[in-house]
Amino acid sequence: MISALVPAALSGFLLGASLIIAIGAQNAFILRQGLLRQHVFVLCMICALSDAVLIAAGVAGLGTLISQSPTLINIVTIGGAVFLFWYAVVAFRRAAKPDVLQAAKTGEGSLKAAVAACLAFTFLNPHVYLDTVVLLGSLSARYEGHDRVAYGLGAALASFVWFFGLGYGARLLQPVFARQSAWRVLDVLIGLVMAAIGISLSTRLVAG
């Protein structure tokens, strides 16, 4: 019985991994927190559980409802673009001030602020709904019964593996980030990623 579910679970895992393993706002945030070793477990758990809930909703059929509501997607897109532009400015300011970088390396950031930012990166990103709820959800229609459940569990497992691997694996790069210049480069890259995604969302709104 279990072996019969493996192909569906593997399909969900591989598709889920292909959607989340990319340079994006959420991954850049988790990478930085992992390098700082600040609230890594909590933030990784939030990201993974959020994906799991959205995947479950998509597999259960919510994807069809969201895909038919462009207004909802537009609202999330506007909020996401504004937040990403703001965070890009924050990242560029960190990169411009060595004393801020030094404080970031030695100080413990607020858990409340980190959780708020993590939730914003997760739920103010329209791509997360399109990827997890709409795409993964629609593709689950190929399966029925226990196979569909296995597919959803496989996709959710990919999120857990990726986020915890990224968050805790980031510390392997800490020798590189012992220098302020490395933090400056990272924050510039994070700022560019956030700004690029924000521009992409804004362009999509204008085009739509």
Side-chain angles (χ1 to χ4, degrees):
M1 175 64 179
I2 295 179
S3 60
L5 301 177
V6 171
L10 183 60
S11 176
F13 182 90
L14 293 176
L15 181 58
S18 69
L19 293 175
I20 63 173
I21 300 176
I23 298 176
Q26 191 183 48
N27 287 339
F29 176 71
I30 293 297
L31 174 62
R32 192 174 198 281
Q33 294 300 122
L35 287 165
L36 294 172
R37 299 194 182 190
Q38 291 183 359
H39 320 301
V40 178
F41 180 83
V42 173
L43 298 178
C44 289
M45 184 62 72
I46 288 174
C47 290
L49 285 177
S50 297
D51 272 6
V53 169
L54 292 171
I55 290 169
V59 171
L62 186 60
T64 302
L65 177 63
I66 290 183
S67 63
Q68 294 176 349
S69 178
T71 300
L72 178 60
I73 295 296
N74 285 340
I75 292 173
V76 175
T77 299
I78 293 171
V82 171
F83 176 75
L84 288 169
F85 283 130
W86 171 79
Y87 199 87
V89 172
V90 171
F92 288 135
R93 289 181 62 185
R94 280 199 308 255
K97 297 181 179 180
D99 57 328
V100 174
L101 293 176
Q102 186 65 33
K105 290 164 61 179
T106 58
E108 180 72 10
S110 163
L111 174 60
K112 184 182 296 185
V115 169
C118 186
L119 290 173
F121 281 126
T122 300
F123 293 104
L124 288 180
N125 177 11
H127 294 293
V128 74
Y129 300 101
L130 297 175
D131 289 347
T132 58
V133 181
V134 178
L135 181 56
L136 284 170
S138 62
L139 291 177
S140 71
R142 298 178 298 174
Y143 304 99
E144 295 182 358
H146 295 299
D147 284 342
R148 179 177 291 193
V149 174
Y151 168 88
L153 289 175
L157 177 61
S159 290
F160 278 90
V161 171
W162 170 251
F163 285 117
F164 279 94
L166 179 64
Y168 284 99
R171 62 189 60 188
L172 299 176
L173 297 175
Q174 282 197 324
V176 176
F177 286 89
R179 302 186 299 273
Q180 287 187 348
S181 59
W183 283 95
R184 181 176 287 108
V185 170
L186 176 66
D187 278 320
V188 167
L189 290 175
I190 288 176
L192 291 174
V193 168
M194 304 300 177
I197 298 175
I199 292 172
S200 174
L201 294 180
S202 301
T203 302
R204 180 172 300 180
L205 272 176
V206 173

